[in-house]
């Protein structure tokens, strides 16, 4: 099939603009990123600068790929990363608009590549259990109800891609942050640092310049791992409880 | 043997806490091996710098591991023990691994699970709230711990969180988007690295008292593999060129269950976890005429469940090398299914009938979904079509018992070293090895070396050695950019991959390997004449990164063929067509080849020198491997 691509280019010779490309012969079995590979091969053979985009695993787990495709982070399909989108979902003659994940806290590096290191700093603020290597007890010493472990897993499945931020009109990072808060708050291992953790991570999130949450829930709709907004509600409860507890301590 | 590690730990020299702060350690890589090592050394109080070319430590290729991680916990009471895990690993590796290392691996395996659970890794649990297990190939016990089909993700996130905690505490400094392009030796010792900042293109010098490479495997030398796109050999290869021996480079694992290639544009292959062979049955039609028929309409009597037929004791759960070769044999006989004829069926119809769709979905739901996304077919209704693909490299930098390479002060952990899996790795053992190395082995063994470094003081980087290394890197980048040819680095990589797959893949022979060596040399010459690298070196430039990596892959590819050519036997994943038993099984030659081949770099265009580390088996009796 024949496709027209309108791609955001920024850096080098481009100031930040859409550039249009034609691809005459796209195979429907190709993945979306393989289609961009073909475009880049074409550009290189014409001695032009290829389009920069990020990817690695190409199977939906590393969280490296991004792209807003026709206005939607990770493209049209529910629960799917860009690297898992295949061209059979497009038609001959289609025009596809491709942009980076945009947010103040995600500065553009080049073309479609953005800097998502703010997420690392949110985790560094407290997204862990403080246990040194060698300090652990036997793994079966604490039974955890299957259902609870499973809910913790649902939250832990976040791949840190940032689509939630790109989808949100306020560029809020609530879904990402709350997924980690929930993962650890649901498990017995996470209890000791529970309150300290939520305060520190929320503070870091604000410091990074992510916006406030106004319950639009576009994040959940676009999240490739279908992380639920219930996590945001849980984080808000955790936060209030922690603030209340620390005020009580101070009083 | 069984006391060796305990004994070692009891006698290894220690570094006092106040001295650790004055000792710098560089870790390259933040996958399971790198993140666990960096976090653990940070906790001990060393001054750690950790480098990754990824934008975040959490992106490392380890994230993609699906099926699980082994540990000798014997929670099933099914007869597992440290000895049995040790034995299975040695046997699975076709008696080409070092006993002492493997025994240690089995010993520490149980602690890994404890550590990960304490970090909050949500392993699968049973209704009673205790941990669940599944079976993997090459074993008769159930010792694999798993987290849905995302075990690597959850383990890496656990290690990443431990690492993040040390970053916060200031013991570890992260250098994301930094690629190590050389190691620096001073008086024969490894004293630092040259790294390129991938955002600015700047070259940086970093010194340390020891450097640890946790840079993963080199399966992408085949171009198409299940490895992440950016996985590469550069760090290991550069170390090799500086004097680190390369161990068993030809030992490659071809995984039996991957989604088949669909076209020329294909950029990578996707694994379907080995755990599927717990319930999926492999078969091909008995009659070539049925190749393209709807498989559901092929009668039971007209199907050949070839693994169950050939290996009744292990059936569909034979080790990977055996399952892969059996699939190849079936396709070579003209029984392969689908348009390309390069696929076999993996069928879940029986499992769905026996256990119900819901149970099958709970165990493999995400894998089925992944399969459907890629192929557009629904595996609940239609048997999967699968074919073997390159997956893992048992070979890697040669290391001693302490995980040190032949360069003093340079260590290698995880898939980057050659150590534990011999000629074939068992499923769920790479995650185990990466975390064993990083959490429980290196933190002890590196102390032996660093205890001699407490008086060294900070190592300067304004020395002739660093000058020279940086200059070489700069010149190589300039050379790559200066060629200004016509072909992309990608196109060379693709061609290299085809040579490797055809002639150094699932089956090898002397004639093909000799030819491959010649073809690779020609390709390399063409590359240095005609590659085109767009963009500048002072900016974010993925094409430049790729060109450098492909150049290194081409050198490694030749060494792999040399190694495969010299090893006149078949063992594990290394199948030389000239050496097989009457029924087509690998035929080892223990008299002449029971050794690790450790290759020494002798210079560009020169023949690498072979060193042999003889393998002696004290604990296990060496036998012909049989899964019948
Ligand atoms: C699809 C798939 C599924 C798998 N499933 C399983 C499984 O179920 N069970 C199992 O046991 N094993 C499995 N494996 C194997 C296992 O995942 C890997 O062997 C293991 O994760 C490797 O970990 P590592 O830490 O050694 O390297 P990696 O995770 O590959 O990490 C390498 C790190 O090094 C960095 N790096 C490399 N070179 C440089 C450089 N020059 N400069 C700076 N940084 C550099 C990278 O950025 C990265 O951080 C699977 C493998 C694949 C491909
Ligand atoms: S919550 Fe979802 S969208 Fe946001 S980073 Fe995690 S996986 Fe990506
Ligand atoms: S490339 Fe890894 S999730 Fe898309």
């Amino acid at each position: 099939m024949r496709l027209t691509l309108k791609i955001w280019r920024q850096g080098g010779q481009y100031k930040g603009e859409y550039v249009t490309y034609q691809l005459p012969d796209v195979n429907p079995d190709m993945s979306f990123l393989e289609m961009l590979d073909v475009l880049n091969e074409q550009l290189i053979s014409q001695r032009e600068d290829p389009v920069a985009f990020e990817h690695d695993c190409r199977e939906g787990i590393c969280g490296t790929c991004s792209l807003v495709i026709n206005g939607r982070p990770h493209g049209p399909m529910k629960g799917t990363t860009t690297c898992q989108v295949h061209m059979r979902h497009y038609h001959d003659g289609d025009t596809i608009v491709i942009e980076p994940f945009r947010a103040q806290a995600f500065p553009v590096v080049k073309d479609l590549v953005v800097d998502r290191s703010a997420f690392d700093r949110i985790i560094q603020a407290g997204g862990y259990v403080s246990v040194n290597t060698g300090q652990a007890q036997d793994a079966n010493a604490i039974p955890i109800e299957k259902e609870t472990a499973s809910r913790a897993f649902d939250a832990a499945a976040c791949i840190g891609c940032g689509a939630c931020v790109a989808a949100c009109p306020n560029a809020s990072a609530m879904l990402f942050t709350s997924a980690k808060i929930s993962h650890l708050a649901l498990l017995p291992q996470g209890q000791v640092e529970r309150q300290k953790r939520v305060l520190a991570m929320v503070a870091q999130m604000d410091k990074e310049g992510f916006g406030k949450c106004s319950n639009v829930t576009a994040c959940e709709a676009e999240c490739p791992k279908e992380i639920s907004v219930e996590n945001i509600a849980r984080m808000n409860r955790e936060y209030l409880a922690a603030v209340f507890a620390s005020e009580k301590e101070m009083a | 043997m069984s006391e060796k590690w305990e004994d070692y730990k009891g006698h290894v020299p220690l570094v006092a806490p106040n001295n650790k702060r004055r000792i710098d350690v560089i870790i390259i890589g933040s996958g399971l091996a790198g993140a666990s090592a960096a976090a653990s050394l940070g906790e001990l109080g060393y001054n750690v710098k950790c480098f990754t070319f990824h934008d975040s430590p959490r992106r490392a290729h380890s994230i993609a591991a699906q099926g699980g991680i082994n540990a000798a916990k014997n929670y099933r009471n099914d007869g597992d023990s440290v000895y049995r895990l040790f034995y299975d690993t040695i046997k699975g590796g076709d008696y080409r691994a070092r006993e002492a290392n493997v025994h240690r691996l089995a010993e520490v395996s149980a602690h890994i699970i404890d550590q990960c659970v304490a970090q909050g890794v949500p392993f699968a649990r049973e209704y009673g709230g205790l941990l669940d297990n599944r079976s993997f190939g090459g074993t008769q016990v159930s010792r694999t711990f798993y987290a849905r089909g995302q075990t690597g993700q959850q383990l890496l996130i656990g290690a990443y969180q431990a690492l993040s905690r040390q970053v916060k505490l200031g013991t570890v400094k992260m250098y994301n988007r930094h690629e190590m392009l050389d190691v620096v030796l001073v008086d024969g010792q490894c004293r630092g690295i040259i790294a390129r900042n991938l955002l600015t293109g700047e070259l940086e010098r970093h010194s340390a008292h020891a450097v640890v490479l946790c840079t993963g495997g080199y399966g992408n030398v085949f171009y198409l593999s299940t490895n992440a796109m950016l996985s590469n050999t550069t760090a290991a290869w550069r170390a090799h060129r500086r004097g680190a021996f390369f161990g068993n480079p030809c030992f490659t694992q071809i995984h039996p269950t991957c989604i088949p290639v669909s076209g020329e544009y294909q950029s990578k292959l996707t694994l379907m976890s080995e755990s599927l062979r717990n319930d999926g049955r492999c078969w091909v039609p008995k009659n070539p005429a049925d190749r393209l028929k709807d498989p559901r309409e092929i009668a039971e009597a007209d199907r050949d469940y070839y693994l169950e037929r050939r290996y009744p004791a292990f059936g569909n759960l034979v080790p990977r090398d055996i399952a892969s070769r059996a699939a190849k044999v079936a396709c070579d006989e003209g029984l392969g299914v689908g348009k390309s004829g390069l696929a076999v069926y993996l069928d879940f119809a029986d499992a769905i009938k026996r256990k119900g769709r819901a149970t099958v979905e709970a165990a493999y739901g995400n894998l089925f979904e992944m399969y459907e996304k890629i192929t557009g077919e629904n595996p609940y209704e239609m048997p999967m079509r699968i074919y073997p693909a390159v997956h893992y490299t048992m070979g890697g930098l040669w290391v001693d018992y302490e995980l040190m390479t032949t360069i003093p002060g340079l260590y290698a952990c995880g898939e980057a070293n050659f150590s534990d899996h011999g000629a074939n790795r068992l499923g769920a053992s790479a995650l185990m090895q990466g975390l064993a190395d990083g959490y429980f082995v290196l933190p002890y063994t590196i102390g032996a070396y660093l205890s001699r470094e407490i008086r060294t003081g900070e190592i300067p980087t304004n020395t002739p050695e660093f000058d020279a290394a940086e200059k070489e890197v700069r010149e190589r980048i300039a050379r790559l950019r200066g060629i200004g040819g016509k072909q992309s680095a990608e196109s060379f990589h693709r061609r290299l991959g085809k040579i490797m797959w055809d002639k150094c893949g699932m089956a090898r022979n002397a004639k093909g390997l000799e030819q491959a060596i010649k073809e690779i040399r020609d390709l390399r010459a063409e590359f240095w004449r005609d590659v085109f690298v767009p963009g500048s070196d002072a900016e974010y430039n993925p094409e430049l990164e790729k060109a450098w990596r492909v150049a290194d892959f081409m050198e490694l590819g030749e060494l792999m063929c040399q190694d495969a050519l010299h090893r006149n036997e078949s063992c594990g994943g290394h199948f030389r067509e000239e050496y097989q038993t009457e029924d087509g099984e690998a035929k080892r030659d223990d008299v002449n080849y029971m050794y690790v081949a450790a290759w020494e770099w002798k210079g560009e265009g020169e023949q690498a020198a072979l060193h042999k580390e003889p393998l002696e088996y004290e604990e296990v009796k060496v036998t012909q491997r049989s899964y019948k």
Side-chain angles (χ1 to χ4, degrees):
Chain A
M1 60 185 155
R2 196 181 176 83
L3 293 176
T4 304
L5 305 175
K6 288 177 107 172
I7 301 182
W8 181 261
R9 308 256 0 214
Q10 180 173 344
Q13 66 190 98
Y14 303 101
K15 293 256 141 19
E17 59 199 280
Y18 287 99
V19 179
T20 304
Y21 301 97
Q22 302 291 339
L23 276 185
D25 186 20
V26 174
N27 183 318
D29 282 332
M30 273 180 193
S31 71
F32 197 88
L33 296 183
E34 283 167 348
M35 183 271 295
L36 290 180
D37 290 341
V38 170
L39 171 69
N40 276 347
E41 281 293 303
Q42 185 178 307
L43 290 175
I44 291 172
S45 73
Q46 297 159 356
R47 303 194 149 248
E48 285 178 44
D49 196 21
V51 178
F53 65 92
E54 279 195 296
H55 64 94
D56 196 17
C57 73
R58 296 204 176 186
E59 48 190 59
I61 194 73
C62 71
T64 312
C65 65
S66 54
L67 309 187
V68 174
I69 304 170
N70 287 339
R72 297 190 58 186
H74 289 305
M77 287 146 68
K78 203 171 141 45
T80 304
T81 55
T82 291
C83 60
Q84 294 177 296
V85 174
H86 281 72
M87 297 317 291
R88 66 180 78 93
H89 303 291
Y90 294 88
H91 305 286
D92 189 40
D94 278 359
T95 297
I96 306 177
V97 181
I98 307 172
E99 305 163 76
F101 280 3
R102 294 184 201 273
Q104 195 198 328
F106 289 168
V108 172
V109 170
K110 189 179 178 196
D111 299 338
L112 304 169
V113 177
V114 300
D115 176 359
R116 289 168 283 188
S117 54
F119 274 10
D120 281 337
R121 291 187 291 275
I122 293 176
I123 299 296
Q124 284 158 14
Y128 39 74
V129 175
S130 295
V131 52
N132 282 0
T133 302
Q135 289 179 330
Q137 56 188 329
D138 184 84
N140 261 348
I142 315 172
I144 302 173
E145 210 204 344
K146 191 176 164 77
E147 182 52 33
T148 309
S150 174
R151 273 191 298 144
F153 195 115
D154 289 341
C158 163
I159 57 174
C161 63
C164 46
V165 176
C168 175
N170 312 323
S172 163
M174 291 287 271
L175 194 63
F176 167 79
T177 308
S178 68
K180 188 48 59 196
I181 297 286
S182 290
H183 163 208
L184 296 174
L186 282 163
L187 294 173
Q189 293 88 332
Q191 295 313 307
V192 175
E193 297 164 286
R194 188 167 171 176
Q195 296 188 334
K196 213 171 96 195
R197 176 181 309 118
V198 68
L199 294 176
M201 288 178 72
V202 168
Q204 188 65 34
M205 184 178 81
D206 292 342
K207 199 167 133 197
E208 296 290 346
F210 291 106
K212 298 270 176 256
C213 172
S214 52
N215 297 318
V216 180
T217 72
C219 52
E220 181 187 79
E222 301 297 351
C223 170
K225 296 295 138 183
E226 305 184 62
I227 304 290
S228 159
V229 288
E230 279 172 29
N231 292 303
I232 297 182
R234 181 180 296 106
M235 178 164 90
N236 286 335
R237 288 196 302 274
E238 294 281 323
Y239 185 76
L240 285 177
V243 169
F244 187 62
S246 65
E247 275 170 4
K248 220 161 71 179
E249 223 166 76
M250 284 201 288
Chain B
M1 177 70 52
S2 49
E3 282 93 51
K4 182 165 177 171
W5 179 236
E6 275 308 313
D7 193 53
Y8 177 94
K9 283 196 293 183
H11 296 94
V12 64
L14 300 176
V15 181
N18 57 331
N19 284 328
K20 288 197 180 104
R21 259 178 285 128
R22 289 198 284 272
I23 291 191
D24 304 317
V25 182
I26 286 177
I27 312 263
I28 314 291
S30 65
L32 285 178
S36 60
S40 303
L41 294 180
E43 288 161 9
L44 287 172
Y46 291 109
N47 217 344
V48 180
K49 290 180 174 182
C50 180
F51 292 77
T52 165
F53 60 68
H54 285 100
D55 70 317
S56 160
R58 66 182 293 155
R59 311 270 189 236
H61 164 58
S62 294
I63 201 97
Q66 302 171 349
I69 175 167
N70 289 329
K73 276 285 194 190
N74 194 28
Y75 282 161
R76 305 286 103 197
N77 197 26
D78 60 357
D80 200 10
S81 64
V82 167
Y83 183 82
R84 202 174 283 277
L85 173 53
F86 157 71
Y87 176 80
D88 286 346
T89 308
I90 291 280
K91 176 185 173 196
D94 219 356
Y95 306 93
R96 291 293 176 267
R98 197 190 283 148
E99 263 194 341
N101 288 53
V102 176
H103 200 280
R104 176 177 65 193
L105 174 67
E107 279 173 68
V108 304
S109 66
H111 301 305
I112 299 173
I113 305 304
D114 300 342
Q115 188 64 32
C116 295
V117 167
Q119 291 168 345
V121 170
F123 283 120
R125 288 178 183 268
E126 300 173 325
Y127 285 103
L130 301 179
L131 294 168
D132 194 12
N133 290 106
R134 54 166 59 144
S135 303
F136 257 57
T139 65
Q140 288 170 316
V141 294
S142 223
R143 64 160 76 97
T144 305
F145 294 80
Y146 65 103
R148 296 191 190 152
Q150 288 139 262
T151 314
Q153 180 199 26
Q154 294 307 319
L155 294 175
L156 184 62
I157 295 298
Y160 162 74
Q161 289 174 188
L163 174 64
S164 297
R165 175 170 161 247
Q166 293 309 307
V167 172
K168 178 75 179 176
L169 292 171
T171 62
V172 179
K173 187 158 166 30
M174 270 316 299
Y175 291 82
N176 298 345
R177 296 195 196 266
H178 275 67
E179 181 152 31
M180 183 209 107
L181 293 179
D182 212 344
V183 291
V184 181
L185 273 58
V186 179
D187 297 332
Q189 278 173 299
C190 186
R191 289 306 198 189
I193 62 161
I194 305 294
R196 182 167 178 269
N197 178 328
L198 300 181
L199 291 179
T200 63
E202 247 165 282
L203 296 183
E204 298 175 6
R205 304 172 181 198
H206 296 270
S207 67
H209 298 89
V211 174
V212 188
L213 302 185
C214 305
T215 48
Y218 51 87
N220 276 347
V221 69
F222 290 87
Y223 187 71
L224 287 182
S225 86
T226 62
N227 288 13
M229 298 290 290
L230 304 180
S231 298
N232 69 82
T233 190
T234 284
W237 191 252
R238 293 284 125 192
H240 174 60
R241 289 179 53 123
R242 293 279 177 201
F245 292 1
F246 216 109
N248 298 330
C250 82
F251 286 174
T252 312
Q253 177 158 84
I254 316 271
H255 196 293
T257 53
C258 303
I259 301 181
V261 176
S262 69
E264 269 304 308
Y265 50 79
Q266 189 107 17
S267 58
K268 77 157 284 181
L269 295 169
T270 302
L271 173 78
M272 290 282 105
S273 167
E274 173 157 317
S275 58
L276 291 171
R277 286 196 278 140
N278 270 301
D279 286 301
R281 302 178 67 196
C282 293
W283 65 275
V284 288
K286 284 183 180 161
N287 183 352
D290 288 345
R291 264 194 347 102
L292 296 173
K293 205 165 157 185
D294 183 333
R296 292 166 299 187
E297 281 161 20
I298 301 178
E300 202 59 21
D302 295 330
R303 301 173 174 196
D304 179 14
Y305 293 91
Y306 55 91
L307 289 177
E308 296 165 34
R309 170 173 60 77
R310 289 177 60 182
Y311 308 98
F314 282 71
N316 289 293
L317 281 175
V318 290
R320 293 176 174 173
D321 52 336
I322 293 181
S324 290
R325 222 150 36 233
K328 179 176 189 302
V329 169
C331 295
D332 287 350
E333 284 169 359
L335 300 169
V337 299
K339 260 186 276 171
S340 66
L342 291 177
V344 299
Y345 290 123
L346 182 63
D347 199 334
F348 293 88
D350 280 352
I352 292 171
K353 216 182 295 161
R354 200 174 65 241
K355 300 181 165 180
R357 185 182 152 132
T359 312
V360 170
E361 188 170 344
Y364 312 113
N366 67 325
L367 296 171
F368 279 33
E369 209 179 287
M370 198 193 298
Y371 181 87
E372 185 168 1
K373 273 184 188 151
I374 294 174
T375 63
E377 278 181 13
N378 174 354
Y380 292 101
E381 270 146 34
M382 198 64 160
M384 283 185 179
R385 270 181 295 134
I386 52 154
Y387 197 65
V390 173
H391 178 60
Y392 180 88
T393 47
M394 282 74 71
L397 292 173
W398 184 91
V399 290
D400 62 13
Y401 186 65
E402 296 182 320
L403 304 181
M404 186 148 83
T405 68
T406 47
I407 299 177
L410 180 68
Y411 291 77
C413 297
E415 194 174 339
N417 73 28
F418 88 106
S419 72
D420 295 347
H421 309 291
N424 172 57
R425 174 174 70 78
L426 292 181
S429 285
L431 302 183
M432 168 172 73
Q433 183 224 330
L435 290 179
D437 287 358
Y439 283 135
F440 296 109
V441 179
L442 183 81
Y444 285 92
T445 60
I446 203 170
Y449 181 81
L450 294 176
S451 65
R452 301 195 295 270
E453 291 289 334
I454 52 178
R455 279 180 208 88
T456 308
E458 199 181 330
I459 295 162
T461 58
N462 57 350
T463 57
E465 291 86 354
F466 275 92
D467 291 346
E470 184 183 318
K471 183 158 166 277
E472 274 185 50
V473 169
R474 200 175 292 286
E475 283 170 358
R476 195 166 191 260
I477 291 175
R479 199 175 151 207
L480 283 168
R481 293 194 51 244
I483 298 165
K486 290 196 197 58
Q487 305 176 59
S488 66
E490 186 84 10
S491 65
F492 283 101
H493 193 182
R494 214 180 273 269
R495 283 162 70 192
L496 172 69
K498 182 146 173 38
I499 301 173
M500 295 300 294
W501 178 246
D502 288 346
K503 306 201 169 77
C504 195
M506 257 190 292
R508 305 150 173 195
N509 61 56
K511 199 165 146 261
L513 288 164
E514 278 161 6
Q515 208 181 334
I517 291 170
K518 193 181 163 304
E519 286 175 28
I520 293 170
R521 285 184 184 158
D522 293 346
L523 188 69
R524 212 160 56 213
E526 188 180 332
F527 174 92
W528 286 105
R529 249 193 345 261
D530 199 34
V531 74
F532 173 59
V533 182
S536 93
D537 60 354
E539 60 169 343
Y540 178 74
N541 186 348
E543 284 300 314
L544 176 59
E545 297 164 28
K546 196 189 294 175
W548 179 297
R549 293 170 190 162
V550 171
D552 287 342
F553 271 137
M554 287 193 290
E555 294 181 6
L556 168 68
E558 180 178 335
L559 184 68
M560 291 170 70
C561 294
Q562 300 277 11
D563 186 41
L565 182 61
H566 110 282
R567 192 172 274 280
N568 291 313
E569 64 161 350
S570 293
C571 58
H574 169 63
F575 191 75
R576 280 281 300 272
E577 285 165 343
E578 304 94 315
Y579 308 101
Q580 48 181 310
T581 63
E582 262 164 35
D583 43 2
E585 303 295 339
K587 196 159 138 198
R588 283 198 330 256
D589 176 353
D590 290 341
V591 176
N592 294 304
Y593 291 96
M594 197 131 90
Y595 61 76
V596 177
W599 297 90
E600 180 186 2
W601 172 259
K602 283 290 184 187
E604 221 142 319
E606 303 293 321
Q607 172 78 30
L610 173 64
H611 300 264
K612 299 176 182 177
E613 180 201 342
L615 292 167
E616 279 143 28
Y617 291 94
E618 294 168 21
E619 291 286 309
V620 299
K621 196 166 150 286
V622 178
T623 56
Q624 163 84 29
R625 204 166 58 131
S626 168
Y627 292 93
K628 304 199 170 194

